[in-house]
Amino acid sequence: LSPVCLGSLRRAASINAEYMGEWVDYLIDQQIEEVDQGPIYDPYARLNKKPDPESEADAIIIGINGVVVDLKVRPGRSVCIWDALEVRGLKDRVVMEVACWEGDGIVRYITMEDTWDLFPGMELTWLRAPITIPVGEPTHAR
């Protein structure tokens, strides 16, 4: 490249770096102004409560094959396709959703996380709704 081209590239890079710094400062100021709690804030926290260990479990794991988990649902529970269940007694949340009914009280689920910590006999709590994620203004640029 010619010295003129190199000079132009250096000027453009320095302007770009200066602009990026201003842009980052602007975004941080906007978050503070909007009282944005950042990625830690969870508007659905009240819906994402840990299952109550004192209540009766809604289902029990009877088989695991990769991310596919078969459950035996307790009688009287009418779990629908796409309803979510959460595994009890784990450090991290493991949530799964109904893929299909296999037979008398047997339901096949797909997990959204690793199944390394799961084993047959573990209890689950029915969340009585599909898996949801927050959308809209609070989640822009996340």
Side-chain angles (χ1 to χ4, degrees):
L1 291 171
S2 72
V4 174
C5 287
L6 285 175
S8 297
L9 285 173
R10 284 190 187 113
R11 274 194 306 282
S14 67
I15 290 170
N16 232 0
E18 184 179 318
Y19 178 72
M20 285 302 276
E22 289 175 12
W23 180 247
V24 169
D25 291 340
Y26 169 77
L27 289 176
I28 291 171
D29 291 342
Q30 287 299 309
Q31 281 185 326
I32 291 169
E33 186 178 304
E34 296 286 326
V35 191
D36 186 354
Q37 303 294 323
I40 308 276
Y41 174 68
D42 182 5
Y44 289 85
R46 65 183 179 78
L47 300 175
N48 294 336
K49 294 186 294 190
K50 291 272 188 197
D52 180 16
E54 301 300 318
S55 65
E56 183 183 19
D58 296 307
I60 295 175
I61 296 176
I62 58 171
I64 302 168
N65 186 9
V67 296
V68 178
V69 178
D70 292 332
L71 305 177
K72 175 76 173 166
V73 179
R74 299 244 188 242
R77 309 294 199 275
S78 57
V79 179
C80 301
I81 298 292
W82 295 320
D83 271 2
L85 273 87
E86 181 174 353
V87 181
R88 296 176 168 200
L90 294 177
K91 185 180 105 180
D92 298 319
R93 292 187 76 193
V94 175
V95 178
M96 53 186 75
E97 68 180 7
V98 177
C100 64
W101 280 89
E102 291 292 310
D104 188 33
I106 308 294
V107 184
R108 182 153 287 172
Y109 279 79
I110 306 294
T111 61
M112 302 296 124
E113 285 84 25
D114 263 343
T115 57
W116 288 105
D117 297 332
L118 303 183
F119 54 88
M122 293 186 83
E123 297 181 331
L124 294 95
T125 298
W126 176 29
L127 300 179
R128 291 178 171 73
I131 294 173
T132 58
I133 58 168
V135 295
E137 281 297 319
T139 60
H140 283 186
R142 300 264 182 251

